Amino acid sequence: MLPFRIALAALVAAVAVSSLAVVPVQAAAPQVRMQAPGFYRMMLGDFEVTALYDGSFDLPVDQLLKQPAARTNAALARHFQSLPVETSVNAFLVNTGTKLVLIDTGTGGYSGPTSGTLLANLRAAGYRPDQVDDIFITHMHGDHVGGLSHEGVAVFPKAVVHAGKGDVDHFLSQAEMARAPADARDGFTTAMNAFGPYQASGRLQPVAADGEIVPGVRAWGTPGHTPGHTSYVVESKGVRLIVTGDLIHVAAVQLEDPTVTVAFDSNTQAAEAQRQKVFAQAARERTLIAAAHLQFPGIGHLVASGKGYAYEPVNYQRGK
Ligand SMILES: [Zn+2]
């Protein structure tokens, strides 16, 4: 019997092997780990507004915000967040019907692999860079101007670029760069590289005063975060959107307590004052705001609450 048993065992083993070969072990489906193209579209009166996602940064906000880390951590916990805080980088494309306007340009990919997708998302949203007529820069930090140029060439070949005169005089000045601390000089170089092709072709227009630049879009000086930080008010048919640039970085903290400032501010007192002024007006007048670092798409309303604000993101729209 022994040989038969051995033969049977061999047969069972062979069947097991062959059935393994026919029906392979199922692995779980691989995780995909990406989002849909990052754009969000809404109408503002007759204007079409498209938020463009450039990517995100993981920020150690407990070290960046000018308050005790324990307070920051407690605020994050209240909002179901933890360190580091993944922070969106948003820009905004406005089609007024007569002009295609881009407000800020993202990092251009110079800040690492987690950002730099603005151009891909602009195309995914149905536009081309050569269609952009005017670019409005809120301020000259790299995550807002890096996308202007690539290797010395203007990414937006026909656009006129508008930026606050305070930033033009600061970030595009060799003398100011020479005066700056060594660790701040990279920021100057980034801005100079970004603006170089536009300056060379006479397409940089400093914004020296508040007022309308193209029909339906006006500048509102909000200096503090940088010397020439500028907000832009977009308005159609009485519906208004204030694009606030970097008046806020950490929603979970600075909405509840707008007095908290951040290490990126060049003048913390002025930056806080501008945040308080613009946010109070937006809440009082029930005006939409759009911000570069509120969670994508970064468009919503502020509601006065305690000594700060609650944030109501826009209701999702189908795009009309
Ligand atoms: Zn920024």
Side-chain angles (χ1 to χ4, degrees), residues 8 16 227 240:
L8 185 65
R240 201 178 292 162

Side-chain angles (χ1 to χ4, degrees), residues 57 68 76-77 88 103 138 158 170 177 185 248 285-286 317:
F57 298 135
L76 293 179
S88 296
I103 305 177
T138 61
K158 294 196 289 213
H170 182 70
M177 181 162 82
R185 290 195 190 134
I248 182 164
E285 298 181 351
R286 300 174 63 83
Q317 297 182 14

Side-chain angles (χ1 to χ4, degrees), residues 170-184:
H170 182 70
F171 289 101
L172 303 184
S173 159
Q174 294 287 348
E176 290 289 334
M177 181 162 82
R179 261 198 291 277
D183 64 352

Side-chain angles (χ1 to χ4, degrees), residues 57 89 104 138-139 141-144 225 245-246 248-249 264 292-293:
F57 298 135
V89 179
D104 286 341
T138 61
H139 66 292
H141 284 160
D143 52 321
H144 302 256
H225 179 60
D246 275 14
I248 182 164
H249 293 82
F264 309 129
H293 302 302

Side-chain angles (χ1 to χ4, degrees), residues 168-200:
V168 173
D169 292 347
H170 182 70
F171 289 101
L172 303 184
S173 159
Q174 294 287 348
E176 290 289 334
M177 181 162 82
R179 261 198 291 277
D183 64 352
R185 290 195 190 134
D186 272 0
F188 286 80
T189 307
T190 300
M192 287 174 187
N193 289 341
F195 282 90
Y198 298 89
Q199 282 183 297

